Amino acid sequence: MQQVLTVEQILAMLKGYEESLRMLRARPEYMKLEASERFTTSNDLRLGDAIQALLEIHEAILDIKFYSQVEGQTNTFNDSQKA
């Protein structure tokens, strides 16, 4: 059986991943690795890019949640106007 996650659970997971990556990025061992001239990725992305992507996904979900609530309130208002 597949577990269903709520929006709040997804947001909490994203926030947790972001915080974990921030802590990792701040570690001297990681900074030394990333500063190495041999540290390369296929698309030149760094840990900061992953953190930024998680932030943008988090914001996009919040936007969807907000606009869904606004649309729901608008529909409720429109329905009450018809009655």
Side-chain angles (χ1 to χ4, degrees), residues 53-72:
L54 288 173
L55 283 169
E56 290 179 19
I57 292 166
H58 190 272
E59 288 177 15
I61 292 171
L62 288 176
D63 286 347
I64 289 170
K65 188 176 174 183
F66 173 78
Y67 287 115
S68 294
Q69 290 172 349
V70 168
E71 287 174 0

Side-chain angles (χ1 to χ4, degrees), residues 8-69:
E8 287 74 22
Q9 289 170 320
I10 293 168
L11 290 171
M13 290 172 68
L14 290 170
K15 190 68 174 165
Y17 299 148
E18 176 204 335
E19 290 302 319
S20 295
L21 292 177
R22 284 183 188 280
M23 288 189 300
L24 174 60
R25 186 176 64 173
R27 299 286 308 164
E29 300 88 353
Y30 179 79
M31 289 190 291
K32 184 178 177 183
L33 288 171
E34 194 173 270
S36 168
E37 64 185 38
R38 294 184 181 189
F39 184 90
T40 61
T41 62
S42 62
N43 52 11
D44 293 327
L45 294 177
R46 301 280 195 232
L47 204 50
D49 298 311
I51 294 167
Q52 182 62 36
L54 288 173
L55 283 169
E56 290 179 19
I57 292 166
H58 190 272
E59 288 177 15
I61 292 171
L62 288 176
D63 286 347
I64 289 170
K65 188 176 174 183
F66 173 78
Y67 287 115
S68 294
Q69 290 172 349

